Amino acid sequence: KQEVTQIPAALSVPEGENLVLNCSFTDSAIYNLQWFRQDPGKGLTSLLLIQSSQREQTSGRLNASLDKSSGRSTLYIAASQPGDSATYLCAVTGGSNYKLTFGKGTLLTVNP
Amino acid sequence: DTAVSQTPKYLVTQMGNDKSIKCEQNLGHDTMYWYKQDSKKFLKIMFSYNNKELIINETVPNRFSPKSPDKAHLNLHINSLELGDSAVYFCASSQGVTGGPFEQYFGPGTRLTVT
């Protein structure tokens, strides 16, 4: 059974700081890994999707890496802004039915 | 235009009632999903439909019955609501014939409160 763990559960940083969110998964037989952002009371917004054959993906100030063999991914956020404050969720797709399994998320607060 | 929409956004009801949540996607995707996010914010899949056919059913009580009238719609009907059903329910969709390992797009969620 796939399990996804995200560390830390919460993170508070001053504006402008670079930061890293961590995600680990127990079963390396995945198709892809997806990072989402969830704002309070809102739905999920897909940030980056990394296919299992890829090592990283970049979008603006965000960079996500994937090490499938070790079951780890990181989300790097450069020059953080207060608008980045949200919960960041990591999810992996696996199994014959392409099931998406989520971690419990990291609550990020960027202080002005 | 909203890609994945859900109605209602909020739903407050009493124990024992039956309620439905509707989901529609205008992305032309073949696969749709229902997820439940509990009070601890843990998001877990409940059901998945591909071209109106059920492909994932994650040990959800049979009080929950998904219905897909066409591939653009996936509704969730809940019978005999219980306090523990209180959660946020998210609908999502992805492209692909069998769902595939494709990016999933989520709706805004429906916050269900059972009193």
Side-chain angles (χ1 to χ4, degrees):
Chain A
K1 180 185 173 185
Q2 178 73 271
E3 290 184 5
V4 180
T5 303
Q6 291 187 244
I7 295 173
L11 181 64
S12 181
V13 300
E15 183 176 4
E17 194 160 297
N18 302 325
L19 58 99
V20 174
L21 307 180
N22 296 293
C23 172
S24 61
F25 45 95
T26 54
D27 185 352
S28 62
I30 64 168
Y31 295 103
N32 60 40
L33 183 144
Q34 209 167 342
W35 281 95
F36 294 88
R37 168 186 173 139
Q38 185 176 24
D39 293 283
K42 304 282 186 181
L44 279 69
T45 301
S46 179
L47 298 173
L48 290 164
L49 180 141
I50 312 177
Q51 300 291 355
S52 61
S53 58
Q54 297 176 319
R55 297 285 291 184
E56 66 178 329
Q57 281 285 343
T58 298
S59 176
R61 295 182 293 108
L62 305 179
N63 176 279
S65 69
L66 173 63
D67 185 341
K68 199 175 101 164
S69 61
S70 68
R72 295 183 183 192
S73 175
T74 61
L75 179 66
Y76 175 83
I77 303 177
S80 59
Q81 302 171 357
D84 294 331
S85 298
T87 296
Y88 290 80
L89 295 159
C90 167
V92 296
T93 304
S96 58
N97 53 15
Y98 307 110
K99 189 174 98 171
L100 196 62
T101 302
F102 281 85
K104 293 187 177 182
T106 293
L107 176 61
L108 173 66
T109 304
V110 181
N111 302 300
Chain B
D1 286 342
T2 303
V4 183
S5 59
Q6 295 179 229
T7 54
K9 189 171 174 61
Y10 300 97
L11 184 55
V12 181
T13 188
Q14 292 183 327
M15 284 175 58
N17 284 349
D18 303 338
K19 290 293 179 186
S20 292
I21 306 172
K22 295 185 177 182
C23 178
E24 176 181 3
Q25 55 94 3
N26 62 7
L27 298 167
H29 287 167
D30 290 324
T31 305
M32 296 183 72
Y33 311 82
W34 277 110
Y35 290 85
K36 179 180 179 180
Q37 188 171 44
D38 60 27
S39 58
K40 296 182 179 179
K41 308 297 183 186
F42 191 39
L43 199 66
K44 192 171 182 181
I45 190 165
M46 300 173 68
F47 300 104
S48 172
Y49 266 76
N50 175 254
N51 279 321
K52 302 195 299 176
E53 183 180 340
L54 181 67
I55 57 172
I56 295 177
N57 183 343
E58 285 289 303
T59 59
V60 177
N62 57 16
R63 297 183 295 105
F64 290 78
S65 53
K67 286 184 171 54
S68 181
D70 54 63
K71 72 174 191 177
H73 296 83
L74 181 62
N75 303 323
L76 183 65
H77 188 74
I78 315 171
N79 290 327
S80 303
L81 278 156
E82 300 176 357
L83 291 177
D85 298 332
S86 296
V88 181
Y89 292 85
F90 287 99
C91 177
S93 72
S94 68
Q95 69 178 86
V97 175
T98 56
F102 298 107
E103 188 172 3
Q104 292 191 20
Y105 296 82
F106 282 74
T110 295
R111 182 173 295 277
L112 172 65
T113 303
V114 183
T115 62

